[in-house]
Amino acid sequence: MTEKLRFRRTIAAALSLAVVILSAASCGLRDGSPPQDIETPTLPPPAVTSIAAPDPNAAVEAFLSAWQAQDYAAMYALLTSSAQASISLEDFTARYTEIETGAALNEISFELLNDITHPRNAQVSLKLALTSAAAGLIERELALNLVREGEGWRIVWSDAAILPELAPELGVFLDLNTPPRGTIFDRNGTPMASPEQVVALWIVPNQVGGEDAESSMLSALGRLFGRRPEAIQALYDDIRAFDWRVPLGEVSISQFQAVEGTLAAVGGVQWGSYGGRFYPDNGLAAHAVGYVAQLQQEQLEDFLRRGYPRDAFVGQIGLERAYEAQLHGDPGGTLYLLNADGQVSTSLASETSGPRTNLYTTLDAQLQIQVEQAISGFAGAVVVLERDSGAVLAMASSPDFDPNLFDWRNPNSGDGLTALFSSQQTPLINRATTGTYPLGSVFKIITMAAALESGFYEPGTIYDCGHEFRELPGRTLFDWTLEKELPPQGEISLVQALERSCNPYFFHIGLDLFRQGLTTSLTDMARQFGLGQDTGIEIDEDPGLIPGPETQALLSDGVWSEEDSVDLAIGQSILEVTPLQVARFVAAVGNGGVLYRPQLVSRIETETGQVVSEFAPDAQAELGISSDTLAAIQEAMVRVVRQPKGTAENRFRGLNLRIAGKTGTAQTSDFTDPHAWFAGYTFESRENRPDIAVVVIVEFQGEGSEWAAPIFRRVVESYFFGRPIAVYPWESQIGVLREPTPTPGPEDEVGDEEPTPTP
C-alpha cells in the first residue's frame, strides 16, 4: 500500500509541474514575444579540455640516456617509489658501477621498439647494446615496466634492467687476455722500454771482499753499468762497516748473466730478479720516455672500464702515458655471468685481443747517453732538435731518475722511491718541457728582430754602448763590461750588439720602441717566435708566460710601462720560457724561419712490422720576419762564437764546425746565482748528418759563457764526432772533476743582469 501511494504522489507532482510550465509558455507566446518579466536562460558553450597523456617512451629514453651519461642520480629519480624504497641511491650507483667496471663497459646504446600503454601501467620494449672493451658487443632485447605515479611514468626497476640475465645475487666476471706491452725504441731500433726479465743489484758494504775481490767486483760492475769503478766505489766507501743496501740499478737477465759468475765469486753484491717493464741504462730520457706504475686508486675505475686488470701497470708520464692505448694494445677476453656462489655459469660475450704496437721514437739512444753525461751533476736541461724537421734527437733533464723504481716488484724500489721523493732537487720535473725560466740575453735575438722589423733600425745602426744606461728617468742600468772591469764597448752596430751582448743597446731598443708607440712590439715578436704557447710536443709541457695585456695584473703597478719594456728587451721582466720553446725558435732562425712542431715519435708499428702511423715533419708556422732580418740575426749569432769579442768565442776555439749561437745569463734574485743559457744551431749541411739546434740551461750556476757554452760544445762534438773532444774548464779529464768552479776567461760574458736602480 505504501509503495503504491508514494508512486501516485510522484506522478501527481510531475503532472502539476508540467501544467505550470505549459501555462507559462502559453502566456508568453500569445503575442509572439516572450514575457517581459521572465529572463531567458543562456547556456555556456561546452568546455573543451585537452590533457596530454605522459609518454612512457620518453621516460625510458630519459632513463637510458642518463645511463649513457653515467648520471646515476637522474636514473634513480625515475624509479618508482617502491623501487627507491628497496634500494638506496648509493647501492643503486654501486650496482651499476660494479657491473660496468666488471664487464669493462665503455659504450651503451639503445633502440626503443614498441610500447603497450594502459592508464596506470605500461611496458616499453627495446634493444640494448652494451660494448665491453675486452669482450666485445653484448646485445639483448628487454622490456621495461612502468607505472603512473603523479603526473609521470616511473620505472619498475630490477637488476634485469641492466642485463636480462642478471638477478640481485648474480655478478659478472671478465677473463682478460692482454698482450704484452709494446716496446719503445729509439730511432735506430734500440729498446728504451720493453717487457723483460729484470735483475736488480745492490751492494752490501760490509760484505765486500779483499782488495783483489773488490777490484774484480768493481770491474764487473763498471762493465755492467757503464760507470767508472771509482764512481761505484764512492757509493759505499764511507760506510764499509755497515750492513746496508746500496742500490746500483737494474739490468736485463742477458746482461747480468755475462757477469753473474764473477759477482757470485767475489761477494759484496746481491741481486733479485723480477718480470716487468725494463728501462735500460737506469732509464734513458726518463722524462721523455716516462714510466709505468701499478694503477692508483684514483685511476682504477677508468682503466677497469677500458678492459685493464686491477693490478695493471700503466703509463704515468711521458710517452708511456701519451701512447698508453697504442702500447697496451686492444685487450681481449670472455665475459661470464656468475651464479649466486660466485662461480662461472654462462658466457655472455667473447673477443680476441688485438696486436700490440711499438713506438719508434726520434731519439738517438747513444746521443742521449752522451747528452745526459754532458749535463750530469748540474740542475738543468739540454734539448737537441733536428734543425730542419723538429725531430727530438735528445732531451735531458737533470737530475734524472730511474723509472725502473716504480715497479714495486723491484727489490730496489722501496729505498729508491724514498730517496727520489725526498730529494730537494725535484728530479721528477721535466725541466726541458715544463721547467720555466727567464731567458736572459738569448731573448736579445727576439729584440733584434723586433727592432729591424719596426723600420727604425738597420743591421748597421750605430749606438754608443757605454758602461751605463741613463735614458730612463731616475734609473741607471749597467753593461756587463763594468763588472768585468773591461772598457766600454763604444760605438757598435746592431749586429755587433748581439755579438757582444751589449745591454745598453738593447735597453735602448726596448725603450725606443715603446716611446715610438710600438708598446707591444717585443711581446708580439716573442709570440711570433713561439713563446707563451705550447709547442705541440706529445708529452706534458708548460706554455710559459709572455708579458702582455692579459698578464699586466702580474706587474708591480699593473700597467705595462717603459721600464717593463726595457727589462724584457734583455729577457728579464716576468718572462717565462721552456728550453724546448727556445730550441724550437733557434732552430727556426737556423733553418730559414720555419717553426716545426717538436716530435718524439716517428712511427708506430705492429709486431710484424706493419706501419700503423708515420709522422712527417709538421711545419706549424713561420717566424714572420723578412729574409734581411733573418740574415742579420744569423750573422750576429755566428759572430758570437767566431769573432774575438764574441761572448762565447773563447769556448769554441779549435772546434772545426760551423755553428751559430747566443749566450744568456738570466737573473732570478739577488740571493742566488743566475741561470746559464746557451742556444745555437749548426749549419754543416752534411747529407748523412742533419744539422741540429741545441739549447742548454744550467740552473743557478753563473754566466752562460762559462757553464752552458762548454756543455753545448760537448753535445755538438758528441753528435758530429761520436764522442766528446774538449775537456770542460772544470775537469781534469773528460768525466773527472778538477775543481768546483771554472776559471773565467778574460772575454766571458758576465752580467746580463736584471736592471737594478742606482743606490
Side-chain angles (χ1 to χ4, degrees), residues 74 111 127 141 161 209 233 288 350 363 381 403 531 535 552 568 571 586 605 689:
E111 177 188 354
K127 181 182 292 184
E141 288 192 7
Q233 186 178 38
S350 185
L363 296 166
L531 301 184
T535 67
Q552 289 186 7
L568 181 60
V586 168
E605 289 187 1
R689 185 65 65 173

Side-chain angles (χ1 to χ4, degrees), residues 66-72 75 90 92-108 131-134 174 176 294-312 314 316:
W67 187 9
Q68 289 176 322
Q70 296 177 19
D71 187 349
Y72 305 114
M75 297 174 68
E90 181 180 3
F92 178 82
T93 300
R95 181 57 166 163
Y96 271 86
T97 303
E98 171 198 357
I99 299 301
E100 290 168 17
T101 57
L105 297 184
N106 59 8
E107 186 178 343
I108 298 165
T131 303
S132 166
L174 183 60
L176 288 166
Q294 196 164 15
L295 281 170
Q296 305 300 299
Q297 185 60 41
E298 64 273 14
Q299 300 174 304
L300 190 58
E301 182 177 337
D302 175 49
F303 279 91
L304 289 177
R305 291 175 183 270
R306 292 161 63 177
Y308 283 64
R310 289 181 174 273
D311 59 352
V314 301
Q316 302 293 335

